[in-house]
Amino acid sequence: MKEYKWIGAKVKRFEDPRFLTGRGNYIGDINCPNQLHAAILRSPHAHAKIKNIDYSDALKLPGVFGGLTGGDVANMSDPFMTLVTVPMKYYCMAFNKVRYVGEPVVAIAAENRYIAEDALDLIKVEYEPLTPVMDSEKAMEKDAPLLHEEAGSNLCWHDTFPYGDIDEAFKKADEIIKERFTFHSYSSTPMETMGCIGNYNPAEGSFTAWSTLHVPMLFHMALAMALRVVGSKLRLIVPDVGGGFGNKAKVYPYVVLACLLSKKVGRPVKWIEDRREHLMACVQPPGRIAEYEVAVKKDGTILGIKEKLIDNVGAYTRLPEPNHMMRPFQILVGCYKIPAIEIDGYIVNTNKCPSGANRGLGLQQYYFPLERIIDIIAKRLGMDPVDIRFKNFIQPSEFPYTTPNGSIYDSGDYPNTLKKILEMIDYKGFRKEQEKLRKEGIYRGIGIVTIVEPGGVNVGLLSMSLGIPILSGADDHAFVRVDNTGGVTVLLGCPSMGTGLLTAAAQVAADILDVNPENINVISQFDSSTHPWSTGTHGSRFACSMAEAVAGAARIVRNKALMVASGMLEANIDDLDIKEGLIFVKSVPEKAIPLARVATITNFSTALLPPGFEPGLEARYAFRFDKANLADEKRRMNMAVTYANSAHAAIIEVDMETGEVKVLKYIVLSDAGTMINPMIVDGQIHGGVIHGFGGTFLEEFIYDENGQQLTTTFLDYLLPKAPDSPDIQIEHTITPSPFTSIGAKGIGEGGAVPVPVLMANAIEDALSPFSVKIRDSRMNIEKVWTMANKS
Amino acid sequence: MVKKYAINLTVNGINYEKEVEARKLLVDFIREDIGLTGTHIGCEHGQCGACTVVFNGKSLKSCLMFAVQADGAEILTVEGLAKDEKLHPIQEAFWENHGLQCGYCTPGVLMSSYVLLKENPQPSEEDIREGISGNICRCTGYVNIVKAIKEASKKIEGAGI
Amino acid sequence: MKPFSFEYFKPNNIDEAISLLNGYGEDAVILAGGQSLIPLMNLRLARPKYIIDINKIAELSYIKDTNGGLSIGALTRHREIEKSDIIKSKYPILSKTVSLIGNPQIRNWGTIGGSISHADPAGELPTLLLALNGKVKVVGNQGEREIDGDDLFLGYLTTSMEKTEILREVYIPEISPKMGWEFVELTKRSHDFAIVSVAVLMSIDNAGKCNDVRISLGGVGSMPVRAKGAEEFLLDKAINDDSINEAANIASEEAEPESDIHASAKYRKEMVKVFVNRGLISALDRVRG
C-alpha cells in the first residue's frame, strides 16, 4: 500500500475553529439587503379540496408585503419532474387540493418572521374535506380514496426485477421460508432545519437562491425547469449546512417557493423552516412492507429470494423517490453469494408527508428483512446464525464479485470481518454467560449483523424506475489551483454538511502536492455558477468519487509544476520531487524552486513556458468511474463505485418488567478500505449508530386514522440524548478498493443502517426462551415489554 | 406602533442599550440585535439546547426567555469563549477530539460544558453525559463530545483556570 | 415558531403582581421560570395578552427549615433545591425527585411554584407533593390562603387556584428520619416526563408493622393521585414481598391511566404495579438501613 503523509492521518479538521468560535455561516446567518421573511400556512387536513383562499386581511397587517398561493405557483411555474411515469403534478404548494397535514397552502412575506406568523392567523381557507387513506395496502384497494386523479391509482409505480434463475432456485430448495416484515418511518432530523433565500432579479430574469440543498446539482435541472429558466439563470449557493443526512435535499420545493414569492413581491425572501414544520412536512421516509420467500438448502445455503416490497411514499412521489426501493439494488445480495433474487416493487401514495432522502436511503429498510432472515433460517435449520453467514459469504478470492443484478463488489474479506468481531465480543463466552444468567431470570441477547455499504452512485440508478434505464455514470469534478504565493485553493462539487470532506479533500491535495494542508483552502460555500459539477453530497460518495476528482486535479497540477520546474532547474522531470511546497532535484537538493515561484511563472512569465503548455498552475479534473456502466437488457448495472463492509455486534439485556433494553456492549468492525482520515470515519460511524439507535428505540412518525400528525415537536418525536446513548467501540480492517487510486471506499451511512435489524436479532435472541418472533422494526419499551410478557 | 421596552445588558463583556418588542426571544435578540450568530436555533421549544448561553453564570436555553427579561443581565455566548484569538481549553479539546461535525449544536454544547466544568471540574463520564443532557447532537453520537469534555477538564486543571 | 404579541410587566413585589393580575384577569399569566410557559407560547398554543414576570420578586425565593416543616418560596429554582444541604439531609426524597427533572438548563430556571401550579400529571413535583402531604400557600386579592395538595390538582394542567391568585410558597410537613422513601419513574429517556412515576414514604412501628404509608402516582391520568387502596391495605400489616406485591396490584387496579403515543393505558397500569413494587422495596430498605 502506498505511503502517505496526510492521507490516513488523524488530522484535526480545518473547518472546526470557525464552528467552535461561532463563526459558522449557516442559512440562518445569511441575510440579503432588503429581504423579507416568509411564513407558510399549512393544511390542517390530510385530504381535502381547496374551495377558496382569502388572504386579503393578512395583507392589511402592517409589515406584510405579499402572499403566494398554489394558484400563483401553478401560473408561475411548472410541476416538478419525477422519477415515475404516471402523471402526477407536484408543485411547491398545494394546488386545488391538499394531500397531507402540513402541506403548504399560502405563503406570506413580511418584515420579520413574527409578523409573518401573525399574518397567517388572518388567512381564511375554505376546504371540502375528503376521506384520507394512510395505509399503503388499503391505498391499493379498488375503492380507496384517490390522491391524484390524473394518476388513476394510488399505486403510482410497480415493477418486477428478476435476476438469476429464480425458478430453478425454488425448485432446488429443501425448504421455502415465508415471512412478512414491516419497517417504520423515522428520519435523521438534523439540528439545523432547512432554509432558503430566493432572490429574483427582474433586470436579468434570473434567480439566485441560497439554501441548505446539499445535493445542489442533482436538483438544479429540476429547479430551473420548474422556474422556467435556463440553468445559467438559476444560481444556487449552499453555505455551511448544519447536518444534512439527505433530509435537506427536500428544500428544493421551498427554493422554488421563495424564488416565486420574491418574484411576486419584488424583494428577496428568506424562509427558515421551524422545527414543527420540519417534523410535519420535511421528509418522512417510507414505511415498508416486505414479504420474503427464501429458498434454502438444509445445509444453510441460500439459493434465492423472492421479495415483494411495498413503500408508502406519502402524498407525492417526489425526487429522489422511488429511490428507497431502487438504491438497495446496489447491494441486493448483501454479503452473500445468493444466485437469484427477484424484487417485486410497489410504490404507493397515501395522505402523509412525502418521503425523500434520509441517511441510509433504503438500506436499513432493505437489510432489516435480509439480516433477520439469516437468523430465521438458522432457527429453522437448527444452526447458528453465524454459521449461516459463513456458509453464504462471498469469499475473498472471488473479488471483484459481480452480483446477479450487476453490482461489481470491489474487495472485502467478509469471513475475516465476522471472525474478528466474534472474537472481539467473545461470542462463545457470551453464550455460556447467557445460559447461566437465564437461570437467574436475567435475559441477555447478542445480535450480529454483516453488511455491505455501497459508496458512490451510478446515476443510472435514478432511471431504473423509468422502465429502460438510460442514465449512467458516477463522475465527479474538482478544481485545484496553486496561486502566486503558494496557497492552494480547491473547489468541490460537493457542499459541506459537516462530514469532514473539506478536511479530507485538503489531505488528499496536500499529499499529492506535498504542501502543508494549512495552506490549502477548500472552499466551503458551493456556488453553481462557479463550482465544478457533481451531483452533490449524498450516497456516501465523497471518499470514492470526489476525493478521486481532487486527487486527479492535484496530480495534473503537480505534473504541470514539475514540467515547469524541470525547465527552470534544467533537470529531468523524473529527477524532481516536491517537499513542503519546494520542488527540488533529488540528486542535488540545493537546486530548488518554490511552488509559488512556479505558479508566478505560469501566470506572469508565460513566454518561458514550453510550447503548448497551458498557462496557470491550476486544473479541473473529472473523475470518470469506468465501471459505472449502462444497464443491459436485463437491467443489470453496477450502481455504486465502492463497496465497504462492516459487522456490528451488540450485547443487550431486556428488563422483563418494563421492556427497557440496555445496550451492554456495542462493537463495530469496519472495512472502509484506505481511510483518508480515520478520526472522521469513526465519527461517522458513531453518529450513524446513534441515529439507528434512535430510530429503533425512540423515533417514529405517527398519524391517527384521520391523518392528523401526532409527532410534531421534540416532546413527541424523541431523539437520543447523551445519558441514554451507549458507548461504541470501533475497530478497523483495511481492504483497499482496487477501483480508486487512493483505495478509499465511500462511507457515512453504514453506522445507521444495521442498527434496527441488529437490535431485532439481539432482542429475539434474549427472548428466545419465550418463542418471541420479531418481524417489525420498532423496539420501543412497550413493544418489547409486550413481546417479553406475551406468554 | 408596536410597544418597545428598553433593556440594558452585557454580552461577552460589552454593554448594550437596546429597545425590544416584548415577545422577541432572547435567542433572536442575540442573533439579530447584537449580531452574534454563533448561538443557534434548533427547535424553539426548549428541547434541543442549540440556543444555550450562560446567563448570570447559569446555563440557559435562550429560546425560553424573552429579551425583555434580560435587562441587567450578563450573558456569555460562544463568541466570548476564546480570548484574543486563543481558543478556550474546552474549544481546543473539542477540536483535538473531533467533538463536532456539522457544528450546529456545538455552541450550545460548549456553553453547557463550560458551566458543567465550572461546577464539577473533575466529572465522571456519567456526570458528563448528565451535564450535556440538555443538548442534542445528531452528528457525533456523543462519543467524542464526552471524550472532549473529559480532555477539557484535564486541560483546565493543567492551566489552573 | 414565534409567540404572539403581549404586554410585559415586571412587578417589584407581590402586591404589585396581584394588582396586575387582578387588573388584567383572564388574559394575564404569571411568568416564573418560563420552562413550561414559553414553549407553549412559541408554539402559539398559549396566547396571553399580558405577562407578569415575577422573577424580580426576591422575597419569593427561599428555603426555610422551620419547626415542623420545610417552607420553600415559589420562585426557588429546582437547581437550588437540588443543591440544598438541608433538603439533602432532612428531605432526601425531594432532593432525588428534583434531580430527575429535565436537564441542567431546565433545572436552573424552572421553579417549584411554576411546576406545581402548571400541574402536569407527568411532572415529578405535583406527584411528590401529594405523597408529602404538602400544601401550597397562595395569595390573591382576598389575602392569603392554604390549599392542601389533595385539594389542589383538579385535572390536566388545572388547579383549584383562582386565576387571580399567585402561588407563594410550598410547605412540606416534617419527615421523620425513620421514614423510608423512594421516588422512581419510568421514562423513555432519562429525565423525560414520566410515563409512570411513584413516590413512596413509609414507616414501620416497633412490632414491624406499617404505621404510615403514602404512595402517590404520576402519569396515570389527568392528575397525580394517592393510591389510597394500596395505602389502606398496607397499614398495620407486616411489610414483606407478599404484602408489597399485593399493594402494588391494588394500586395498579385503582389507577385509571389514559393512552397516548408514548404508552397505552394497559401498559401504564402494568407499570404502576412494577414501580409501586420497586418503590416500596426501596423504601423498606431505607427503613431497615
Side-chain angles (χ1 to χ4, degrees):
Chain A
M1 213 164 61
K2 234 170 144 182
E3 280 293 310
Y4 291 114
K5 192 154 116 188
W6 299 106
I7 292 172
K10 292 183 183 177
V11 172
K12 286 190 316 192
R13 297 191 334 165
F14 303 113
E15 52 264 55
D16 284 359
R18 61 195 176 81
F19 290 148
L20 288 165
T21 53
R23 285 180 178 79
N25 191 34
Y26 302 94
I27 188 69
D29 307 331
I30 295 179
N31 296 297
C32 271
N34 207 29
Q35 78 188 1
L36 294 171
H37 295 259
I40 299 172
L41 183 72
R42 294 174 180 274
S43 169
H45 298 285
H47 199 192
K49 290 193 185 140
I50 302 174
K51 305 296 287 185
N52 190 48
I53 297 175
D54 174 9
Y55 65 96
S56 52
D57 285 342
L59 291 177
K60 294 185 193 130
L61 195 65
V64 172
F65 288 84
L68 193 76
T69 65
D72 294 327
V73 166
N75 279 335
M76 297 165 76
S77 68
D78 288 335
F80 293 109
M81 55 189 281
T82 69
L83 295 175
V84 291
T85 50
V86 298
M88 181 182 300
K89 289 208 174 95
Y90 176 50
Y91 291 102
C92 64
M93 296 182 76
F95 176 50
N96 287 338
K97 206 179 172 196
V98 290
R99 295 179 173 88
Y100 65 99
V101 169
E103 185 169 8
V105 176
V106 184
I108 294 288
E111 232 163 66
N112 61 53
R113 179 62 179 243
Y114 290 74
I115 295 174
E117 288 191 19
D118 291 343
L120 299 186
D121 278 346
L122 304 172
I123 301 175
K124 302 188 201 58
V125 183
E126 250 180 81
Y127 295 99
E128 181 190 308
L130 301 167
T131 312
V133 60
M134 310 307 296
D135 174 86
S136 52
E137 285 173 309
K138 288 207 171 75
M140 287 196 283
E141 285 167 10
K142 206 165 63 93
D143 297 318
L146 188 59
L147 268 83
H148 298 275
E149 281 78 7
E150 63 271 28
S153 166
N154 296 324
L155 175 63
C156 66
W157 180 89
H158 168 234
D159 207 343
T160 309
F161 297 81
Y163 295 111
D165 195 337
I166 199 83
D167 292 327
E168 184 67 18
F170 275 69
K171 273 205 207 100
K172 282 207 189 116
D174 293 325
E175 289 238 23
I176 311 278
I177 297 174
K178 291 190 180 158
E179 293 287 349
R180 179 180 154 107
F181 302 91
T182 46
F183 200 94
H184 67 292
S185 176
Y186 63 89
S187 88
S188 302
T189 65
M191 278 301 103
E192 181 205 34
T193 56
M194 297 197 289
C196 57
I197 302 175
N199 190 8
Y200 178 66
N201 183 336
E204 292 173 4
S206 67
F207 294 97
T208 302
W210 289 258
S211 79
T212 53
L213 184 51
H214 56 85
V215 282
M217 300 317 285
L218 192 65
F219 288 89
H220 186 257
M221 191 170 93
L223 287 166
M225 284 166 62
L227 286 168
R228 299 178 183 157
V229 291
V230 288
S232 46
K233 296 255 179 182
L234 170 62
R235 185 175 180 187
L236 278 182
I237 302 172
V238 185
D240 287 325
V241 175
F245 313 115
N247 297 164
K248 289 191 181 141
K250 281 302 133 280
V251 77
Y252 79 89
Y254 295 98
V255 169
V256 169
L257 191 157
C259 283
L260 294 179
L261 188 50
S262 169
K263 190 170 183 184
K264 194 152 180 234
V265 300
R267 289 167 68 167
V269 170
K270 180 173 176 177
W271 172 75
I272 301 294
E273 180 190 54
D274 69 36
R275 186 52 68 179
R276 191 165 44 187
E277 292 180 292
H278 179 84
L279 290 171
M280 290 175 73
C282 176
V283 52
Q284 294 182 6
R288 168 168 293 184
I289 298 168
E291 290 175 352
Y292 263 43
E293 283 181 52
V294 188
V296 294
K297 286 178 78 90
K298 55 174 179 272
D299 68 355
T301 310
I302 303 171
L303 299 174
I305 310 181
K306 281 190 205 166
E307 304 175 26
K308 179 177 175 184
L309 305 176
I310 305 172
D311 274 358
N312 179 348
V313 298
Y316 298 90
T317 310
R318 58 180 185 183
L319 291 167
E321 290 292 5
N323 264 276
H324 272 86
M325 179 76 65
M326 308 314 308
R327 194 275 178 99
F329 276 54
Q330 294 174 324
I331 46 75
L332 279 187
V333 296
C335 296
Y336 312 112
K337 243 192 312 210
I338 305 170
I341 297 243
E342 183 184 271
I343 308 286
D344 185 27
Y346 297 77
I347 301 290
V348 184
N349 296 115
T350 67
N351 294 106
K352 70 163 196 71
C353 171
S355 172
N358 183 42
R359 191 176 204 170
L361 189 59
L363 297 178
Q364 53 265 45
Q365 289 87 345
Y366 191 77
Y367 277 120
F368 187 80
L370 186 62
E371 285 294 299
R372 280 264 63 224
I373 276 292
I374 301 294
D375 280 30
I376 292 167
I377 291 171
K379 218 170 233 169
R380 189 75 81 90
L381 301 177
M383 291 172 68
D384 191 314
V386 155
D387 292 330
I388 303 285
R389 289 183 170 85
F390 278 124
K391 182 106 197 130
N392 287 281
F393 274 155
I394 297 162
Q395 295 301 312
S397 55
E398 292 174 307
F399 289 97
Y401 178 83
T402 304
T403 68
N405 69 314
S407 291
I408 305 174
Y409 287 4
D410 48 359
S411 65
D413 189 346
Y414 308 148
N416 184 47
T417 299
L418 181 55
K419 192 161 144 275
K420 265 191 117 156
I421 206 169
L422 292 174
E423 277 162 24
M424 286 165 68
I425 203 148
D426 188 15
Y427 187 70
K428 290 204 177 95
F430 172 77
R431 286 291 179 214
K432 289 198 191 109
E433 173 88 354
Q434 183 183 43
E435 257 324 294
K436 192 165 83 74
L437 289 170
R438 270 184 187 155
K439 297 191 174 98
E440 296 168 33
I442 296 173
Y443 295 94
R444 291 193 183 165
I446 190 167
I448 310 269
V449 163
T450 49
I451 64 159
V452 173
E453 201 185 327
V457 182
N458 178 342
V459 294
L461 186 57
L462 297 172
S463 59
M464 283 287 279
S465 57
L466 296 168
I468 304 155
I470 49 165
L471 304 179
S472 61
D475 334 312
D476 249 315
H477 305 227
F479 172 85
V480 172
R481 168 197 291 140
V482 179
D483 65 42
N484 301 309
T485 66
V488 181
T489 301
V490 178
L491 290 176
L492 305 175
C494 289
S496 165
M497 55 179 188
T499 53
L501 53 84
L502 300 173
T503 298
Q507 287 175 260
V508 169
D511 243 313
I512 290 167
L513 295 173
D514 209 318
V515 296
N516 191 324
E518 278 178 23
N519 293 332
I520 301 179
N521 189 5
V522 182
I523 304 296
S524 57
Q525 180 162 280
F526 174 87
D527 186 331
S528 68
S529 304
T530 57
H531 280 53
W533 200 93
S534 152
T535 52
T537 312
H538 64 95
S540 300
R541 57 193 300 280
F542 176 80
C544 58
S545 306
M546 183 51 71
E548 290 295 311
V550 174
R555 281 185 201 112
I556 296 172
V557 168
R558 179 191 171 94
N559 289 337
K560 284 183 83 167
L562 292 178
M563 264 173 81
V564 172
S566 86
M568 303 305 296
L569 298 174
E570 291 172 338
N572 206 303
I573 201 169
D574 296 320
D575 286 339
L576 297 177
D577 202 353
I578 313 180
K579 200 176 165 92
E580 284 163 33
L582 190 69
I583 303 174
F584 61 96
V585 181
K586 285 187 261 197
S587 48
V588 190
E590 315 82 68
K591 274 177 97 177
I593 183 170
L595 210 51
R597 174 97 179 93
V598 169
T600 317
I601 291 168
T602 65
N603 290 319
F604 290 109
S605 305
T606 49
L608 299 178
L609 299 173
F613 186 100
E614 216 178 325
L617 197 52
E618 58 188 49
R620 186 195 175 95
Y621 174 75
F623 166 67
R624 180 181 173 178
F625 182 53
D626 55 6
K627 292 178 179 46
N629 49 16
L630 191 59
D632 66 13
E633 74 288 352
K634 291 202 171 128
R635 295 193 287 179
R636 291 178 296 203
M637 184 187 344
N638 181 26
M639 299 194 201
V641 178
T642 56
Y643 297 85
N645 74 279
S646 59
H648 288 227
I651 293 175
I652 57 105
E653 184 173 309
V654 177
D655 182 332
M656 300 295 283
E657 285 189 321
T658 62
E660 287 165 298
V661 174
K662 194 162 173 200
V663 176
L664 301 172
K665 214 173 198 186
Y666 196 105
I667 303 182
V668 179
L669 184 60
S670 163
D671 183 349
T674 306
M675 292 181 281
I676 297 172
N677 188 325
M679 203 166 64
I680 290 178
V681 172
D682 282 359
Q684 291 302 301
I685 296 173
H686 293 149
V689 167
I690 300 303
H691 258 144
F693 181 82
T696 305
F697 292 110
L698 293 170
E699 301 173 46
E700 185 179 0
F701 290 109
I702 302 176
Y703 288 78
D704 70 15
E705 65 279 4
N706 297 316
Q708 290 301 317
Q709 300 215 34
L710 303 179
T711 43
T712 62
T713 70
F714 277 161
L715 292 157
D716 320 307
Y717 187 92
L718 302 178
L719 307 190
K721 293 182 168 186
D724 319 285
S725 300
D727 201 20
I728 302 157
Q729 187 189 338
I730 304 175
E731 297 285 340
H732 293 277
T733 60
I734 299 179
T735 321
S737 173
F739 296 166
T740 60
S741 70
I742 299 169
K745 297 185 181 181
I747 55 98
E749 297 165 278
V753 163
V755 183
V757 65
L758 179 70
M759 289 299 147
N761 285 352
I763 295 169
E764 196 179 274
D765 183 57
L767 300 179
S768 61
F770 309 100
S771 310
V772 163
K773 286 190 180 162
I774 299 181
R775 302 292 182 263
D776 178 80
S777 54
R778 297 163 187 84
M779 302 293 142
N780 57 65
I781 46 175
E782 181 165 349
K783 167 88 180 290
V784 175
W785 176 83
T786 307
M787 290 194 292
N789 290 279
K790 226 175 29 158
S791 46
Chain B
M1 267 310 295
V2 176
K3 181 162 183 189
K4 295 254 164 118
Y5 299 77
I7 57 173
N8 187 315
L9 71 166
T10 305
V11 183
N12 299 335
I14 299 175
N15 188 252
Y16 296 90
E17 273 181 37
K18 297 275 182 186
E19 282 201 342
V20 290
E21 224 186 303
R23 64 170 167 172
K24 185 146 208 187
L25 297 175
L26 181 59
V27 63
D28 286 330
F29 173 80
I30 291 171
R31 289 176 55 79
E32 293 164 18
D33 298 55
I34 308 293
L36 295 171
T37 57
T39 304
H40 297 145
I41 294 176
C43 75
E44 288 176 315
H45 52 285
Q47 290 297 307
C48 77
C51 63
T52 303
V53 297
V54 183
F55 186 103
N56 292 344
K58 301 194 283 186
S59 58
L60 165 76
K61 294 181 186 186
S62 58
C63 72
L64 295 188
M65 186 177 278
F66 300 112
V68 71
Q69 294 178 263
D71 185 36
E74 264 187 46
I75 298 178
L76 182 68
T77 72
V78 67
E79 289 93 339
L81 281 181
K83 291 271 179 292
D84 303 321
E85 290 192 45
K86 188 166 176 342
L87 293 180
H88 189 281
I90 298 178
Q91 290 166 314
E92 272 177 16
F94 270 73
W95 193 15
E96 285 158 16
N97 288 279
H98 190 34
L100 62 150
Q101 291 184 23
C102 80
Y104 201 76
C105 77
T106 306
V109 172
L110 290 173
M111 303 325 285
S112 286
S113 307
Y114 176 88
V115 168
L116 166 69
L117 292 175
K118 278 220 181 290
E119 291 176 3
N120 186 355
Q122 300 300 327
S124 64
E125 178 170 334
E126 202 185 324
D127 292 337
I128 290 174
R129 286 181 180 268
E130 171 59 40
I132 55 165
S133 61
N135 294 81
I136 300 180
C137 174
R138 277 306 238 175
C139 292
T140 65
Y142 307 105
V143 178
N144 285 345
I145 290 180
V146 171
K147 246 175 104 192
I149 296 172
K150 205 106 216 182
E151 185 65 32
S153 74
K154 293 197 192 108
K155 279 180 186 284
I156 289 173
E157 190 189 26
I161 299 178
Chain C
M1 290 141 38
K2 308 295 183 192
F4 212 60
S5 288
F6 55 86
E7 219 175 306
Y8 171 83
F9 303 95
K10 197 164 191 175
N12 293 295
N13 55 54
I14 294 204
D15 290 332
E16 271 181 47
I18 291 169
S19 142
L20 283 164
L21 206 49
N22 271 282
Y24 293 111
E26 285 282 317
D27 296 326
V29 301
I30 299 291
L31 171 61
Q35 307 298 287
S36 304
L37 176 64
I38 298 183
L40 291 176
M41 289 179 69
N42 291 350
L43 287 160
R44 296 201 168 204
L45 296 173
R47 299 189 186 199
K49 294 204 180 88
Y50 308 96
I51 294 280
I52 300 162
D53 176 358
I54 58 169
N55 284 286
K56 204 170 165 188
I57 307 177
E59 73 237 38
L60 283 177
S61 177
Y62 54 86
I63 297 173
K64 287 190 198 129
D65 180 32
T66 59
N67 233 352
L70 182 72
S71 299
I72 308 177
L75 208 50
T76 311
R77 313 283 169 184
H78 300 318
R79 196 70 164 160
E80 289 163 333
I81 295 175
E82 197 184 353
K83 290 199 164 337
S84 156
D85 286 329
I86 198 85
I87 294 177
K88 271 190 202 143
S89 67
K90 290 178 97 177
Y91 300 86
I93 191 175
L94 177 56
S95 258
K96 178 175 180 185
T97 302
V98 143
S99 75
L100 294 173
I101 295 175
N103 47 64
Q105 293 95 317
I106 304 271
R107 294 199 290 281
N108 281 337
W109 299 98
T111 63
I112 187 166
S115 286
I116 290 189
S117 52
H118 188 60
D120 191 319
E124 289 83 356
L125 286 173
T127 306
L128 183 61
L129 188 75
L130 290 188
L132 291 173
N133 287 333
K135 55 180 121 190
V136 299
K137 296 185 182 164
V138 305
V139 61
N141 234 2
Q142 318 292 343
E144 184 164 302
R145 66 184 179 112
E146 280 182 7
I147 310 178
D148 278 338
D150 280 341
D151 301 323
L152 181 61
F153 304 110
L154 298 180
Y156 187 65
L157 304 186
T158 315
T159 67
S160 57
M161 282 170 58
E162 295 297 333
K163 276 256 168 227
T164 49
E165 285 178 316
I166 298 178
L167 195 154
R168 192 179 70 70
E169 177 184 290
V170 175
Y171 177 80
I172 296 164
E174 201 171 36
I175 301 177
S176 151
K178 292 206 208 108
M179 271 203 124
W181 61 269
E182 184 54 274
F183 188 98
V184 280
E185 59 179 9
L186 175 65
T187 56
K188 279 187 159 173
R189 300 174 302 185
S190 71
H191 298 9
D192 269 350
F193 274 121
I195 290 179
V196 156
S197 60
V198 175
V200 173
L201 287 130
M202 177 166 69
S203 63
I204 296 186
D205 66 22
N206 292 328
K209 298 224 177 116
C210 173
N211 58 3
D212 185 4
V213 63
R214 303 120 195 232
I215 305 170
S216 67
L217 310 175
V220 294
S222 63
M223 53 196 193
V225 289
R226 288 274 288 265
K228 293 249 156 75
E231 292 173 359
E232 269 163 39
F233 171 79
L234 286 172
L235 270 175
D236 289 330
K237 292 219 174 54
I239 306 296
N240 51 41
D241 282 347
D242 288 333
S243 58
I244 286 178
N245 275 336
E246 185 57 30
N249 278 335
I250 295 171
S252 168
E253 269 156 43
E254 280 180 309
E256 290 174 341
E258 282 155 21
S259 296
D260 68 11
I261 58 165
H262 294 303
S264 70
K266 175 173 176 214
Y267 177 71
R268 282 176 206 260
K269 260 176 110 72
E270 289 296 325
M271 291 305 108
V272 166
K273 211 185 295 180
V274 171
F275 282 84
V276 167
N277 204 303
R278 290 184 182 182
L280 285 168
I281 289 176
S282 179
L284 184 64
D285 274 341
R286 285 201 165 96
V287 167
R288 294 204 176 127

